[in-house]
Amino acid sequence: MTTTKGLEGIVATTSSVSSIIDGVLTYRGYNIDDLAEHASFEETVYLLWYGKLPTEKELAEFKGKLSSQYAVPSEVMDMLKQYPLNDIHPMAGVRTAVSSLGLYDEKADDMSEEANLNKSISLLAKLSTIVAAFSRLRDGKEIIEPKENLSYAGNFLYMLNGNEPDEISEKAINKALVLHADHELNASTFTARVCVATLSDLYSGVTAAIGALKGPLHGGANERVMKMLSEIGEVENTESYLKDALERKEKVMGFGHRVYKDGDPRAKHLREMSKQLTGITGETKWYEMSLKLDELMTNQKGLLPNVDFYSASVYHSLGIKHDLFTPIFAMSRVSGWLAHILEQYDNNRLIRPRAEYIGPPKQEFIPIEKR
């Protein structure tokens, strides 16, 4: 057996959901650049789940189904209110709440294609409600019910803040959701597929994926990027901060990616959005610091920014609390997880790799009285 640490370069399955070929990311064959510029998040989800872009009628029907599923069971909301909201990371609350949803779905163990698609729509809708509710409850605010006439992105901002978002804010969240929707066989997606390959239910697969996304080397990276920018404070401190960090051999978050050698194709879209939003808020320093770090890391280390890097200043400029960055990632990536879960169910085989044993070769058992 040949061991590859972190399974780097190992092809573990076939998939038609998304691809990364020669540094180009596609969803079902559509270039991420085209989708980021022209598609709504709802169109993107439809593409991931049904394998094609929707017609106007299909999209309207899909949006209608989403709108009907935003409400979270009162039992789950009551449990959410009992969480130690100010003492836990939102991802821990989201993980537990999503797991709880399965307790109140009588179709949770129905493995038919129709039932799993209906559960997928329900989970996508309810996840945004849960994230917004968590944020408002810990701030001592009332939960806000969704509005039927708003987009997925717009509804989230409305449920979070209590005001219908302006066009640029809604566009920013929509674009971020599209860009984060899927990314081939990343850590959380692989986790989801391993889980449901045992023929466990869809809620278990998504809960497992959320647990994987919670880690700072995956979904938590953009939160740590914003922490870094806050520590830098001002543009003129950027170079000295980076110099000290590199001398201490600290990991600079938001740079490099295992599958991209020439840069993450998603980063440029969020870079432009960061420039726009920081200009509107008058806090251009967040964009300027990011751009300076980008230039220094590229020149000094040959590392280019990934999707997490500029998303941090985008979310910050929208007034979103830093520890909500990863839950918003989950709101998007659940669409990709569900696409892969449905694909796994459709052509399933238990995922069971091997491990190379490196312990002692052969030991003689000694009875306990002689040890």
Side-chain angles (χ1 to χ4, degrees):
M1 294 187 293
T2 301
T3 303
T4 302
K5 191 173 183 180
L7 300 182
E8 183 171 358
I10 298 297
V11 178
T13 191
T14 59
S15 177
S16 61
V17 178
S18 66
S19 68
I20 303 168
I21 301 172
D22 296 330
V24 177
L25 173 62
T26 69
Y27 298 168
R28 302 286 189 184
Y30 288 90
N31 192 299
I32 192 62
D33 291 341
D34 293 331
L35 294 171
E37 291 300 323
H38 305 297
S40 68
F41 180 58
E42 291 91 333
E43 284 180 280
T44 303
V45 176
Y46 192 98
L47 170 66
L48 290 171
W49 293 358
Y50 296 95
K52 70 183 188 73
L53 289 170
T55 63
E56 288 184 353
K57 180 182 178 182
E58 288 168 336
L59 182 59
E61 290 175 352
F62 184 66
K63 285 182 175 181
K65 289 178 180 179
L66 268 179
S67 293
S68 71
Q69 293 298 318
Y70 278 113
V72 172
S74 58
E75 297 90 346
V76 176
M77 276 301 187
D78 288 342
M79 282 191 286
L80 184 62
K81 293 173 183 177
Q82 300 304 313
Y83 296 169
L85 298 172
N86 292 302
D87 297 323
I88 61 172
H89 193 283
M91 282 295 283
V94 170
R95 178 194 61 210
T96 305
V98 167
S99 180
S100 299
L101 288 175
L103 300 177
Y104 301 97
D105 184 350
E106 60 183 17
K107 299 283 189 179
D109 294 315
D110 184 339
M111 301 297 280
S112 68
E113 182 179 3
E114 180 183 7
N116 280 329
L117 278 168
N118 287 335
K119 283 179 281 188
S120 295
I121 291 170
S122 176
L123 260 172
L124 177 67
K126 288 175 173 55
L127 190 53
S128 64
T129 305
I130 288 168
V131 174
F134 183 100
S135 179
R136 292 189 66 83
L137 285 170
R138 71 173 176 179
D139 290 342
K141 298 177 180 178
E142 291 293 320
I143 294 172
I144 294 176
E145 299 297 323
K147 282 191 173 182
E148 289 190 7
N149 63 320
L150 295 177
S151 68
Y152 187 86
N155 235 324
F156 170 67
L157 289 174
Y158 172 69
M159 290 189 291
L160 186 67
N161 301 319
N163 302 307
E164 290 195 25
D166 57 71
E167 185 178 351
I168 187 67
S169 298
E170 185 174 358
K171 180 181 177 182
I173 287 292
N174 181 81
K175 184 169 287 193
L177 293 173
V178 169
L179 291 169
H180 284 95
D182 197 56
H183 205 233
E184 200 218 49
L185 209 58
N186 56 86
S188 54
T189 299
F190 185 61
T191 300
R193 293 191 75 137
V194 169
C195 180
V196 301
T198 68
L199 295 185
S200 188
D201 66 282
L202 186 145
Y203 290 99
S204 295
V206 171
T207 302
I210 291 173
L213 189 71
K214 183 174 179 288
L217 294 184
H218 191 9
N222 53 9
E223 183 181 337
R224 292 181 65 181
V225 168
M226 199 62 223
K227 181 176 182 293
M228 174 178 65
L229 293 177
S230 299
E231 290 173 351
I232 294 172
E234 301 295 338
V235 179
E236 57 267 26
N237 300 333
T238 307
E239 191 164 0
S240 60
Y241 179 94
L242 180 62
K243 182 175 181 292
D244 291 343
L246 294 177
E247 286 178 353
R248 294 193 299 269
K249 300 188 183 303
E250 292 180 358
K251 182 175 179 61
V252 181
M253 300 304 294
F255 287 91
H257 199 290
R258 185 178 290 184
V259 299
Y260 295 119
K261 304 307 177 187
D262 298 317
D264 189 329
R266 302 167 294 177
K268 61 182 178 290
H269 297 283
L270 291 169
R271 180 178 62 214
E272 182 58 31
M273 192 57 67
S274 172
K275 183 179 180 180
Q276 288 184 37
L277 287 170
T278 57
I280 291 170
T281 62
E283 291 194 309
T284 58
K285 69 175 186 177
W286 303 115
Y287 172 73
E288 292 167 3
M289 277 189 284
S290 300
L291 194 63
K292 185 69 174 177
L293 275 172
D294 185 345
E295 294 170 351
L296 290 169
M297 284 293 287
T298 300
N299 293 333
Q300 295 180 26
K301 304 296 291 185
L303 291 175
L304 298 169
N306 55 43
V307 71
D308 299 306
F309 186 65
Y310 286 102
S311 68
S313 51
V314 167
Y315 294 154
H316 175 80
S317 297
L318 291 171
I320 296 171
K321 293 185 177 180
H322 301 171
D323 62 358
L324 289 182
F325 291 2
T326 312
I328 293 172
F329 193 159
M331 281 168 41
S332 168
R333 186 56 59 83
V334 70
S335 62
W337 295 334
L338 290 164
H340 281 270
I341 287 171
L342 295 171
E343 185 177 66
Q344 186 68 41
Y345 283 147
D346 190 50
N347 186 27
N348 188 55
R349 181 171 172 78
L350 179 69
I351 299 172
R352 204 295 189 191
R354 299 292 306 280
E356 180 184 2
Y357 179 69
I358 57 171
K362 185 178 180 180
Q363 300 205 78
E364 181 181 349
F365 182 82
I366 301 171
I368 191 167
E369 64 273 12
K370 294 183 179 180
R371 291 180 208 158

